[in-house]
Amino acid sequence: MTPITNRQNSDQVLIAEDAFRAFVDDASFPCVAAKAALSRDQMKLFVAGHIACPKDDREILEFIYGFVEEYRSAENHFHTACVIFPESEGLNEAMFERFLWMRLQALSDLDSAQYPYDQRVSPDPHSDQFSFSLKEEAFFVIGLNPDSSREARRFKYPTLVFNPHAQFEELRTLKRYDKMKNIVRKRDVALSGSINPMLQDFGAASEVYQYSGMQYDSTWQCPFKAINR
């Protein structure tokens, strides 16, 4: 991987990056799209500090902006950007979920000063057309943490995975998305013994229910609000 910032030289960063690549490369890991991104060197990694701390937000945002530029100029599929928080020890699933939305809100607030929301999706988290947006690019965000109720998401460090939404829509157009989705779901069932109860296709329900990996009931209200959009 090409270093993104000077922090990429520390031992902690190398350990976190190697651990994440090994996690995705493990035979039991169900997401074949992530495996494809890794094998094609299209999985970009950034190692931050603690997920509850805002000190790295601007660097994370610049990392995502650089990733967007690279993704938009690429001619193939399966690109993903992953932000790892190795200093976030001892979080339970509820704490991780709270900090996930805290970081996404902070990144969105910073982004709103420079870019409008991606007009291809909705900024309303209650909408079935919602996706998270940075640099006018929609993302489907996946949260990983060691206390996740879903085994496939139990990475040793809290991590936010940003998947460009447009690449999934392009795969649908090419009639490749359903095949990939079914493979991932079968592998997830083989790993966890059941399908993720929060799993829905885009347009069937808001994707906010899938971001953290938690199981929600009908009373849950997503805390995210896209300001000035």
Side-chain angles (χ1 to χ4, degrees), residues 56-75:
D56 296 317
D57 286 348
R58 290 194 177 277
E59 285 190 80
I60 292 171
L61 197 61
E62 289 304 316
F63 162 71
I64 296 293
Y65 285 174
F67 168 79
V68 169
E69 289 299 317
E70 185 171 338
Y71 158 71
R72 286 173 176 169
S73 64
E75 298 181 355

Side-chain angles (χ1 to χ4, degrees), residues 72 116-123 132-139 165 229:
R72 286 173 176 169
Y117 215 84
D118 188 335
Q119 295 184 1
R120 296 169 294 181
V121 297
S122 171
F132 185 69
S133 174
L134 294 175
K135 200 171 183 176
E136 213 171 347
E137 188 72 43
F139 288 97
H165 188 270
R229 302 300 183 105

Side-chain angles (χ1 to χ4, degrees), residues 7 9-17 47-49 85-87 157:
R7 77 170 64 246
N9 297 319
S10 73
D11 290 342
Q12 182 189 52
V13 166
L14 295 176
I15 290 170
E17 289 181 339
V47 178
F85 299 89
E87 295 177 11
Y157 305 123

